[in-house]
Amino acid sequence: MEKLTLKQPQLHSSNFDFLNKLGQNNDREWFHAHKDEFQKEQGQIESFADALLQELNTHDVIETPSGKKSLYRIYRDTRFSKDKTPYKTHWSGSFSRAGKFRRGGYHFHLQEGNTYIAGGFFGPSTEDLKRIRQEISFDAAPLRKILSSTSFISTFETLKGEQLKTTPKGFDANDEAIDLLRYKQFLLIRKFSDQELLSEDFLQQAGQTFKNMRPFFDYMSEILTTDINGL
């Protein structure tokens, strides 16, 4: 008797056709008139996010309870924005690692022409940033090994994020690791084409992308959850 293989959740063009129409009719009246269509498409995104959460839980411990809970609301916060359109025109969400010893976070952004999987440290606290820089200055070799690995380069190309143009306060401009010390954010980003987004194996690709972040996350977690004596 043949073993049945369950088909993995896949994203569909209708998920993004709705977003495109929303972009052309970004007002509350149109949205409420098409609420049923929105809920149908969002339900498929939730199923995809659930499957992505299952992939993550094969190699990490995630405290986000479900794909539905990972999704950001479609409603935009317009309080401090010149753009007053009320709705986002992309699907996005994030997964939180469980426990204070697991640092870093996972993020996904699904949109025709602008799909990416990302993770890392978007806004590290002043204390965390100082500890990261001190560790890099003391010995940058472990981080450079991660950033130069085949899996890292083939997935993310290079470390990304906002950087200082000058030397961070308290560090030497001639430090051999000055290129790394200038980072204010530490982001891992992989972009996907529309063809990849709608392919049958996008879930597997997205899951593998998250998995390839782990060496970097493990390095950062060790720095940020141990003291100077390694305790």
Side-chain angles (χ1 to χ4, degrees):
M1 186 175 180
E2 288 189 21
K3 185 178 179 181
L4 292 176
T5 302
L6 295 178
K7 191 174 182 180
Q8 290 185 324
Q10 181 181 351
L11 298 174
H12 303 279
S13 57
S14 65
N15 306 144
F16 304 97
D17 291 341
F18 173 80
L19 294 179
N20 292 334
K21 287 187 288 185
L22 178 59
Q24 296 166 9
N25 303 275
N26 204 327
D27 61 72
R28 290 178 176 81
E29 185 178 354
W30 185 92
F31 185 81
H32 286 295
H34 296 80
K35 193 72 175 285
D36 289 345
E37 184 180 354
F38 163 70
Q39 291 174 338
K40 175 187 174 184
E41 302 302 336
Q42 179 168 260
Q44 293 184 359
I45 301 299
E46 289 175 1
S47 295
F48 178 83
D50 266 327
L52 194 53
L53 175 58
Q54 291 179 31
E55 289 281 320
L56 271 169
N57 274 321
T58 65
H59 60 80
D60 205 345
V61 184
I62 307 300
E63 66 182 15
T64 306
S66 67
K68 182 177 182 178
K69 290 291 186 180
S70 77
L71 289 180
Y72 298 150
R73 287 160 54 88
I74 194 76
Y75 309 99
R76 293 183 64 250
D77 184 352
T78 61
R79 291 174 298 172
F80 309 107
S81 174
K82 291 182 180 179
D83 180 2
K84 297 301 180 182
T85 51
Y87 305 104
K88 301 171 186 174
T89 55
H90 61 267
W91 309 105
S92 60
S94 61
F95 300 98
S96 298
R97 306 182 75 202
K100 64 180 181 179
F101 297 111
R102 295 185 180 91
R103 304 297 292 270
Y106 301 103
H107 177 79
F108 61 90
H109 181 108
L110 311 174
Q111 182 181 25
E112 285 188 340
N114 186 34
T115 292
Y116 57 87
I117 298 291
F121 301 81
F122 183 81
S125 67
T126 301
E127 181 184 351
D128 281 353
L129 186 55
K130 183 179 180 180
R131 291 180 69 179
I132 292 169
R133 284 174 171 160
Q134 287 174 334
E135 184 69 24
I136 292 173
S137 180
F138 176 72
D139 183 9
L143 178 56
R144 290 200 189 279
K145 183 178 180 180
I146 293 168
L147 301 183
S148 62
S149 68
T150 300
S151 64
F152 187 95
I153 293 174
S154 63
T155 308
F156 309 110
E157 297 181 352
T158 185
L159 182 64
K160 300 177 178 69
E162 189 177 344
Q163 301 177 49
L164 293 172
K165 293 182 179 179
T166 57
T167 305
K169 186 177 180 180
F171 293 88
D172 188 343
N174 297 315
D175 194 304
E176 292 182 356
I178 191 62
D179 57 318
L180 297 174
L181 295 175
R182 288 196 174 111
Y183 278 91
K184 296 169 63 178
Q185 300 173 314
F186 301 86
L187 306 179
L188 314 183
I189 302 172
R190 179 184 179 185
K191 295 185 177 181
F192 292 85
S193 67
D194 292 347
Q195 184 177 359
E196 290 172 321
L197 172 66
L198 298 175
S199 67
E200 292 184 0
D201 67 344
F202 178 65
L203 175 64
Q204 186 274 328
Q205 290 187 56
Q208 186 63 49
T209 301
F210 281 148
K211 190 173 183 179
N212 288 359
M213 296 178 185
R214 280 298 301 282
F216 180 76
F217 282 1
D218 291 347
Y219 168 81
M220 286 293 193
S221 294
E222 185 175 355
I223 291 173
L224 296 173
T225 58
T226 56
D227 61 25
I228 196 167
N229 298 313
L231 301 174

